[in-house]
Amino acid sequence: MKDRFSPKVIVVGAGMGGLSAAIRLAAAGLSVTVIETQDSPGGKMRSLPSAAGPVDAGPTVLTLRSVFDTLFDLAGERLDDHLHLISQPTLARHWWLDGSSLDLFTDPEASAAAIASFAGPKAEAQFRRLNSLSTQLYTAFDAPMMQAAKPALGAIAWNALRMPGAWPSLQPGLTLAQFLARSFDDPRLQQLFGRYATYVGGAPNLSPAVLALIWQAEARGVWAVEGGMHRLAAALAALAERQGVTLEYGRTVRRIDRQSGRVTGVVLSDGRVLKCDAVVFNGDPAGLLAGLLGNGPQQALPPSAAHPRSLSAWVWAFAATPSGADLIHHNVFFGSDPAREFGPIARGQMPDEATLYICAQDRHHGTPTGPERFEIIMNAPAKTSQPLGEIDQCRARTFPQLARFGLSFDQPPADSALTTPAGFSALHPGSQGAIYGRSPQGTLASFQRPGARTRLPGLYLAGGGAHPGAGVPMAALSGKHAAEAILSDLTSASPSRLTDTLGGMSMASRTTGRAPSR
């Protein structure tokens, strides 16, 4: 039960990490206020208006749904009572300019059969080996890396030692592209599985081979959210409010205050000062390093926690009636040569020929009639400024490329339907336009993301820029780590105060029928 003596926490940002932390802290009996600059929750899980309704302009896929089932269960509720999640047995449809296409499935046997038909029995055998390897990698890294508050290198090494089949992918300096060239003879399959590096903001020719495990995270299940992914953010915000969290939208934190070497509160853009015992920063850690919230937070992290930067993207979000290609919910249209995409991006330029991802948001049940909602994503370098003519250049690399596959739309989207890297930089101050925080490129990059605790006592991190990294479930897990760190640290600093709070919460849970925090 919360009262004026409950520890107070300010969460800066209502993204997946911030909402996850807020829900967990409120369920533990703490007084929690979330400050969000935008007028709605979600952070990068945003939507734009269209003639067919709100269209996603951020994440498009929900994986590892158990992370969110657990979060609702913690609050004594069920996710399925608030969202309609639609399982997608077909993970994605992949297209190449030679006219070939390939569907992959949650059922590995179905994927193996599809690959055999697509590229022959040798390719099927190679896929089976990769699938087995990625399963071992996922098992080796799940508990000590993704589920842990910080990477447990010893446990990872021990797991890897017990799985010698995974050793080839763990060679220092081996890139994902190099590993896939050894794994598949067919360059199309090398290109397909190399795309998983971009899911966390890296180029396959520069990212470590261990990112092959990302395939396994997706293969374990993909769900569409009825109405769009932004509905997930709204459901989490509503859950937070039912737990007693105060959410303030359209407010900006100007400074994080400190006294005697620890956080004491925040100053808002309207001049208000909110005192607190802890702050969770659910933003890009690069913003702290840039001094956007004051000198204390600027010194709270090493530069390696946020640099170098990940990829960005050009994102179209619009409604139109398509024709030509038999789209499903998730589609990837590959360019002819990865070097024509990632070579220019590495030089800070637009791809010469892009690979384009399309989420046909309304096709989770089949093919609708009339205008549909689409999100088209093209990888980009992170940038803070928008060159003259960039929108026209992006348009010229998007829709004529899709026309080569036979896909067209009855009307082109307006310029306002495009979010550029500079647009992401403006939406997320300090990010420099990067979408995924720190770059995953480099052998030890995944171990250099910052954990929940910072050098400034009372300041904690959550979000895709913190451990365990980018992606919707990973950001939510970072909120779990932040909440657990705060509860542990407050207990150590003032055991009786927090014990009284948790005891009151337990009594309230028995009274209301809600489950106590676990």
Coordinates of all heavy atoms in Angstrom, one line a residue, residues 35-73:
I35 N 7.4 10.4 -16.5 CA 7.3 11.7 -17.2 C 7.7 11.4 -18.7 O 8.7 10.8 -19.0 CB 8.4 12.7 -16.7 CG1 8.2 12.9 -15.2 CG2 8.3 14.0 -17.4 CD1 6.9 13.5 -14.8
E36 N 6.8 11.7 -19.6 CA 6.9 11.4 -21.0 C 6.8 12.7 -21.9 O 5.8 13.4 -21.7 CB 5.9 10.4 -21.4 CG 5.8 10.1 -22.9 CD 7.1 9.7 -23.6 OE1 7.8 8.8 -23.1 OE2 7.5 10.4 -24.6
T37 N 7.8 12.9 -22.7 CA 7.7 14.1 -23.5 C 6.6 14.1 -24.6 O 5.9 15.1 -24.8 CB 9.1 14.3 -24.3 OG1 10.1 14.4 -23.3 CG2 9.1 15.6 -25.1
Q38 N 6.3 13.0 -25.2 CA 5.3 12.9 -26.2 C 3.9 12.8 -25.5 O 3.8 12.8 -24.3 CB 5.5 11.6 -27.0 CG 6.9 11.5 -27.7 CD 7.2 12.7 -28.6 OE1 6.3 13.2 -29.3 NE2 8.4 13.2 -28.6
D39 N 2.9 12.9 -26.3 CA 1.5 12.9 -25.8 C 0.9 11.5 -25.7 O -0.3 11.4 -25.4 CB 0.6 13.8 -26.7 CG 0.5 13.3 -28.1 OD1 1.1 12.3 -28.4 OD2 -0.1 14.0 -28.9
S40 N 1.7 10.5 -25.8 CA 1.2 9.1 -25.7 C 2.4 8.2 -25.3 O 3.6 8.6 -25.5 CB 0.6 8.6 -27.0 OG 1.5 8.7 -28.1
P41 N 2.1 7.0 -24.8 CA 3.2 6.1 -24.4 C 3.8 5.4 -25.6 O 3.2 5.3 -26.7 CB 2.5 5.2 -23.4 CG 1.1 5.0 -24.0 CD 0.8 6.4 -24.5
G42 N 4.9 4.7 -25.3 CA 5.5 3.8 -26.3 C 6.9 4.1 -26.8 O 7.6 3.2 -27.2
G43 N 7.4 5.4 -26.7 CA 8.7 5.7 -27.1 C 8.8 5.4 -28.6 O 8.1 6.0 -29.4
K44 N 9.7 4.5 -29.0 CA 9.9 4.2 -30.4 C 8.7 3.4 -30.9 O 8.6 3.2 -32.1 CB 11.2 3.4 -30.6 CG 12.5 4.3 -30.3 CD 13.7 3.5 -30.7 CE 15.0 4.4 -30.4 NZ 15.2 4.5 -28.9
M45 N 7.9 2.8 -30.1 CA 6.7 2.1 -30.5 C 5.6 3.1 -30.7 O 4.7 3.3 -29.9 CB 6.3 1.1 -29.4 CG 5.2 0.1 -29.8 SD 4.8 -1.1 -28.6 CE 6.2 -2.2 -28.7
R46 N 5.7 3.8 -31.8 CA 4.9 4.9 -32.1 C 4.0 4.6 -33.3 O 4.2 3.6 -34.1 CB 5.7 6.2 -32.4 CG 6.8 6.0 -33.4 CD 7.8 7.1 -33.5 NE 7.3 8.2 -34.2 CZ 7.6 8.4 -35.5 NH1 8.3 7.5 -36.2 NH2 7.1 9.5 -36.2
S47 N 3.0 5.5 -33.6 CA 2.2 5.3 -34.8 C 1.9 6.7 -35.4 O 2.1 7.7 -34.7 CB 0.8 4.7 -34.4 OG 0.1 5.5 -33.5
L48 N 1.6 6.7 -36.6 CA 1.2 7.9 -37.3 C -0.2 7.8 -37.9 O -0.7 6.6 -38.2 CB 2.2 8.2 -38.5 CG 3.6 8.5 -38.1 CD1 4.5 8.7 -39.4 CD2 3.7 9.8 -37.3
P49 N -1.0 8.9 -38.0 CA -2.3 8.8 -38.6 C -2.3 8.4 -40.1 O -1.4 8.8 -40.8 CB -2.9 10.1 -38.3 CG -1.7 11.1 -38.3 CD -0.6 10.2 -37.7
S50 N -3.3 7.7 -40.5 CA -3.5 7.4 -41.9 C -5.0 7.3 -42.2 O -5.8 7.3 -41.3 CB -2.8 6.2 -42.3 OG -3.6 5.0 -42.0
A51 N -5.4 7.3 -43.5 CA -6.8 7.1 -43.9 C -7.4 5.8 -43.4 O -8.6 5.7 -43.3 CB -6.9 7.2 -45.4
A52 N -6.6 4.8 -43.1 CA -7.1 3.5 -42.6 C -6.9 3.4 -41.1 O -7.1 2.3 -40.6 CB -6.3 2.4 -43.4
G53 N -6.5 4.4 -40.4 CA -6.3 4.4 -39.0 C -4.8 4.5 -38.6 O -4.0 4.6 -39.5
P54 N -4.5 4.5 -37.3 CA -3.1 4.6 -36.9 C -2.3 3.5 -37.5 O -2.6 2.3 -37.4 CB -3.2 4.5 -35.4 CG -4.6 4.8 -35.0 CD -5.4 4.3 -36.2
V55 N -1.2 3.9 -38.0 CA -0.3 2.9 -38.6 C 1.1 2.9 -37.9 O 1.6 3.9 -37.5 CB 0.0 3.1 -40.1 CG1 0.4 4.6 -40.4 CG2 0.9 2.1 -40.8
D56 N 1.6 1.7 -37.6 CA 2.8 1.6 -36.8 C 3.9 2.2 -37.6 O 4.1 2.1 -38.8 CB 3.1 0.1 -36.5 CG 2.3 -0.5 -35.4 OD1 1.8 0.3 -34.5 OD2 2.1 -1.7 -35.5
A57 N 4.8 3.0 -36.8 CA 6.0 3.6 -37.4 C 7.2 3.2 -36.6 O 8.2 3.9 -36.6 CB 5.8 5.1 -37.5
G58 N 7.1 2.1 -35.9 CA 8.2 1.6 -35.0 C 8.3 0.1 -35.1 O 8.2 -0.4 -36.2
P59 N 8.5 -0.6 -34.0 CA 8.5 -2.0 -34.0 C 7.3 -2.6 -34.7 O 6.2 -2.1 -34.5 CB 8.7 -2.4 -32.6 CG 9.2 -1.2 -31.9 CD 8.7 0.0 -32.6
T60 N 7.5 -3.7 -35.4 CA 6.3 -4.4 -36.1 C 6.0 -5.8 -35.6 O 5.0 -6.3 -36.0 CB 6.6 -4.4 -37.6 OG1 7.8 -5.2 -37.8 CG2 6.9 -3.0 -38.2
V61 N 6.9 -6.3 -34.8 CA 6.8 -7.8 -34.5 C 6.9 -8.0 -33.0 O 7.8 -7.3 -32.3 CB 7.9 -8.6 -35.2 CG1 9.3 -8.1 -34.9 CG2 7.7 -10.1 -35.0
L62 N 6.1 -8.8 -32.4 CA 6.2 -9.2 -31.0 C 6.8 -10.6 -30.9 O 6.2 -11.6 -31.4 CB 4.8 -9.1 -30.3 CG 4.8 -9.5 -28.9 CD1 5.7 -8.6 -28.0 CD2 3.4 -9.5 -28.3
T63 N 7.9 -10.7 -30.3 CA 8.5 -12.0 -30.0 C 8.6 -12.2 -28.5 O 8.4 -11.2 -27.7 CB 9.9 -12.2 -30.7 OG1 10.7 -11.2 -30.2 CG2 9.8 -12.1 -32.2
L64 N 8.9 -13.4 -28.1 CA 9.1 -13.7 -26.6 C 8.0 -13.1 -25.8 O 8.2 -12.4 -24.8 CB 10.5 -13.2 -26.2 CG 11.7 -13.6 -26.9 CD1 13.0 -13.0 -26.4 CD2 11.8 -15.2 -26.9
R65 N 6.8 -13.4 -26.2 CA 5.6 -12.8 -25.5 C 5.5 -13.2 -24.0 O 4.9 -12.5 -23.3 CB 4.3 -13.2 -26.2 CG 3.9 -14.7 -26.1 CD 2.5 -15.0 -26.5 NE 1.6 -14.5 -25.4 CZ 0.3 -14.5 -25.4 NH1 -0.3 -14.9 -26.5 NH2 -0.5 -14.2 -24.4
S66 N 6.2 -14.2 -23.6 CA 6.2 -14.6 -22.2 C 6.7 -13.5 -21.3 O 6.3 -13.4 -20.2 CB 7.1 -15.9 -22.0 OG 8.4 -15.7 -22.4
V67 N 7.6 -12.6 -21.9 CA 8.1 -11.5 -21.1 C 6.9 -10.6 -20.7 O 6.8 -10.1 -19.5 CB 9.1 -10.6 -21.9 CG1 9.4 -9.3 -21.2 CG2 10.3 -11.5 -22.2
F68 N 5.9 -10.4 -21.5 CA 4.8 -9.6 -21.3 C 3.7 -10.3 -20.5 O 3.0 -9.8 -19.7 CB 4.2 -9.0 -22.5 CG 5.3 -8.1 -23.2 CD1 6.1 -8.5 -24.2 CD2 5.4 -6.8 -22.7 CE1 7.1 -7.7 -24.7 CE2 6.4 -5.9 -23.3 CZ 7.2 -6.4 -24.3
D69 N 3.5 -11.6 -20.8 CA 2.6 -12.4 -19.9 C 3.0 -12.4 -18.5 O 2.2 -12.2 -17.6 CB 2.6 -13.9 -20.4 CG 1.9 -14.1 -21.7 OD1 0.8 -13.6 -21.8 OD2 2.4 -14.8 -22.6
T70 N 4.3 -12.5 -18.2 CA 4.8 -12.4 -16.9 C 4.6 -11.1 -16.2 O 4.2 -11.0 -15.1 CB 6.4 -12.7 -16.9 OG1 6.6 -14.0 -17.4 CG2 6.9 -12.6 -15.5
L71 N 4.7 -10.0 -17.0 CA 4.5 -8.7 -16.5 C 3.1 -8.4 -16.1 O 2.8 -7.9 -15.0 CB 4.9 -7.6 -17.5 CG 5.0 -6.2 -17.1 CD1 6.0 -6.0 -15.9 CD2 5.5 -5.3 -18.3
F72 N 2.1 -8.9 -16.9 CA 0.7 -8.8 -16.5 C 0.4 -9.7 -15.3 O -0.3 -9.3 -14.4 CB -0.2 -9.1 -17.7 CG -0.4 -7.9 -18.6 CD1 0.5 -7.5 -19.5 CD2 -1.6 -7.2 -18.5 CE1 0.3 -6.4 -20.4 CE2 -1.8 -6.1 -19.3 CZ -0.9 -5.7 -20.2
D73 N 1.0 -10.9 -15.3 CA 0.7 -11.8 -14.2 C 1.2 -11.2 -12.9 O 0.6 -11.4 -11.8 CB 1.4 -13.1 -14.5 CG 1.2 -14.2 -13.4 OD1 0.0 -14.5 -13.2 OD2 2.2 -14.6 -12.8

